Amino acid sequence: MRRVLTLGATTLALMSGCGEEEGPPRAGGSTTIDDRTSLAFAQPAPNLSAEGIAFHRAGDAAFAAQFVPAPAPVNPGLGPLYNNNSCNGCHLRNGRGMPVMGPGPQRTQLLVRVSLPDGTPSHPNGAVPVPGLGTQIADQAVYGATPEASVVLSWEESGGTYADGTAYSLREPRIQITPSDGAPLSSGMLTSLRLPPPVFGLGLLEAVTDSTLRAMEDPSDRNKDGISGRLNIVWDTQAGALVPGRFGLKANSPSLLQQSADAYFNDMGVTSPLNPEPDGTYDLPRETLEAAVFYSQSLAVPARAALEDAEVQRGEELFRSLGCEHCHRETLETGMHAVAELAHQTIHPYTDLLLHDMGEGLADGRPDGAADGQEWRTAPLWGLGLTQTVLPYAGYLHDGRARTLEEAILWHGGEAERSRERFRKLSSPERAALVKFLGSL
């Protein structure tokens, strides 16, 4: 079936000009859709063949499946420990998750990764598990089991002012972890909060070649622009080797297949061929896992809005003059990909998929792969303006601390500190123009 899909899609790719842009920029190349509604992140790419659409629909069902404890006739395998019970449970309408935790109706969407600073990981560049907690706290459990711990989230507010005297407030998360067995937390335990990011456009990012990403690296800042950027180097479960990472908030996963399998396992306790039970069996059939992966690969990217708006155009000029584009790269080209609809597209994701030092304010202090405690992957900005349309009150940044785009910018530090300060010194109309541009993405 995959071969038929590939051949059909290749024809479509040739018909669409193989990435050559004519007219206004299309965010996702031929996968772009003109939809600015609350369902903008949930549409299939318009260049899929009929067979591709059918596979996408199968993946949509897999993504929406709510798991229950085994044995069960439908979707068995939840737990016994978990955070949520479906992909949709964290990626609401395929957008960002909510910074929420606990046993409420939304369950836990803001995850807590943990590890020890010293010890022996299960593989090179891996995290060192915490006794009793592993590498991610499971604060939910099926009937008859006990969660590993409870986690209480609170926020600490701090204030600041723009150069024109306008006041602003920022909030920072604080968590209290209480192991269920009453044992003390391991000395020196490292924690990192992770908010689920949007899932559309991921196939296009997977289709960007490693050589393209390597060409943007500048780990020793040879050009002296203050921006380094480097690939994360992570463990590939299938290859059994260290490879470049690009998915996840720290680029800590090398492929959508591994990212998806790890999410099933770590977030829901659902085993798969990549994360089987000790006896080699697993809950999730490979074809279901591959359908879920194809779903995230083949979601459409929403088109930009208000391209002719003068204030948006002014904001775009400011975005570039402030230096934001050094990391949030506007344009990338995709290479070959198993899903031919994704190949050879000119896309506008506003990311370089590289790790950057974001300063102490955003630091989690927890290494992940080759990423250190201050490094985060440049977040793609496409679709950013639809965040609140898709899910009102969704948070920004890796832990959802930013309630607005202004707050997200003001948290930038490290390599981005100079750009942040330039933003802070803008006039109120200039800040509004920049935010309006971001809202057009």
Side-chain angles (χ1 to χ4, degrees), residues 274-344:
L274 270 65
N275 295 301
E277 301 282 357
D279 63 1
T281 62
Y282 43 81
D283 305 307
L284 194 71
R286 175 174 284 275
E287 54 267 31
T288 304
L289 174 61
E290 291 181 345
V293 171
F294 185 79
Y295 178 70
S296 63
Q297 289 173 325
S298 58
L299 285 166
V301 177
R304 279 187 57 184
L307 287 166
E308 303 303 320
D309 186 291
E311 189 177 15
V312 168
Q313 293 174 350
R314 174 59 178 145
E316 186 170 10
E317 292 172 359
L318 289 166
F319 181 83
R320 291 170 178 155
S321 67
L322 266 57
C324 309
E325 215 267 339
H326 287 307
C327 301
H328 291 286
R329 296 291 185 102
E330 176 183 351
T331 303
L332 296 175
E333 302 283 342
T334 68
M336 294 294 292
H337 193 275
V339 180
E341 288 92 335
L342 306 173
H344 306 301

Side-chain angles (χ1 to χ4, degrees), residues 25-78:
R26 302 287 283 171
S30 298
T31 75
T32 306
I33 190 167
D34 293 290
D35 188 330
R36 303 290 291 183
T37 72
S38 62
L39 297 178
F41 299 164
Q43 306 300 325
N47 62 340
L48 291 178
S49 66
E51 290 159 302
I53 289 289
F55 199 33
H56 180 93
R57 296 301 184 201
D60 192 356
F63 208 77
Q66 294 190 5
F67 286 86
V68 297
V74 179
N75 303 330
L78 181 68

Side-chain angles (χ1 to χ4, degrees), residues 146-395:
T146 303
E148 292 174 330
S150 64
V151 185
V152 177
L153 173 69
S154 60
W155 301 97
E156 184 173 300
E157 293 276 348
S158 60
T161 57
Y162 290 102
D164 64 7
T166 303
Y168 60 78
S169 181
L170 302 176
R171 68 174 185 176
E172 188 173 1
R174 295 284 184 263
I175 56 171
Q176 180 178 349
I177 302 170
T178 305
S180 298
D181 62 3
L185 293 174
S186 298
S187 176
M189 186 178 80
L190 307 175
T191 62
S192 179
L193 297 179
R194 306 288 176 91
L195 191 72
V199 296
F200 67 86
L202 298 184
L204 292 167
L205 298 181
E206 191 171 54
V208 177
T209 64
D210 285 351
S211 60
T212 296
L213 303 183
R214 289 193 186 284
M216 294 186 289
E217 286 188 291
D218 188 15
S220 57
D221 193 19
R222 293 187 303 273
N223 61 5
K224 306 300 180 186
D225 65 352
I227 306 298
S228 58
R230 65 182 181 123
L231 285 165
N232 199 351
I233 302 299
V234 300
W235 186 251
D236 185 317
T237 301
Q238 290 189 295
L242 289 172
V243 300
R246 66 178 68 192
F247 298 108
L249 297 166
K250 280 186 179 264
N252 52 307
S253 189
S255 67
L256 289 175
L257 180 66
Q258 184 167 321
Q259 172 88 352
S260 301
D262 288 350
Y264 274 111
F265 184 69
N266 294 321
D267 303 351
M268 294 181 271
V270 176
T271 55
S272 70
L274 270 65
N275 295 301
E277 301 282 357
D279 63 1
T281 62
Y282 43 81
D283 305 307
L284 194 71
R286 175 174 284 275
E287 54 267 31
T288 304
L289 174 61
E290 291 181 345
V293 171
F294 185 79
Y295 178 70
S296 63
Q297 289 173 325
S298 58
L299 285 166
V301 177
R304 279 187 57 184
L307 287 166
E308 303 303 320
D309 186 291
E311 189 177 15
V312 168
Q313 293 174 350
R314 174 59 178 145
E316 186 170 10
E317 292 172 359
L318 289 166
F319 181 83
R320 291 170 178 155
S321 67
L322 266 57
C324 309
E325 215 267 339
H326 287 307
C327 301
H328 291 286
R329 296 291 185 102
E330 176 183 351
T331 303
L332 296 175
E333 302 283 342
T334 68
M336 294 294 292
H337 193 275
V339 180
E341 288 92 335
L342 306 173
H344 306 301
Q345 299 291 318
T346 299
I347 61 175
H348 305 283
Y350 292 88
T351 179
D352 58 8
L353 297 177
L354 300 179
L355 297 172
H356 294 275
D357 179 351
M358 294 303 293
E360 293 182 359
L362 289 177
D364 62 0
R366 179 180 181 270
D368 200 334
D372 68 30
Q374 288 197 179
E375 289 179 313
W376 296 95
R377 186 199 67 168
T378 306
L381 301 184
W382 52 13
L384 186 66
L386 289 165
T387 300
Q388 301 300 325
T389 302
V390 170
L391 182 65
Y393 306 111

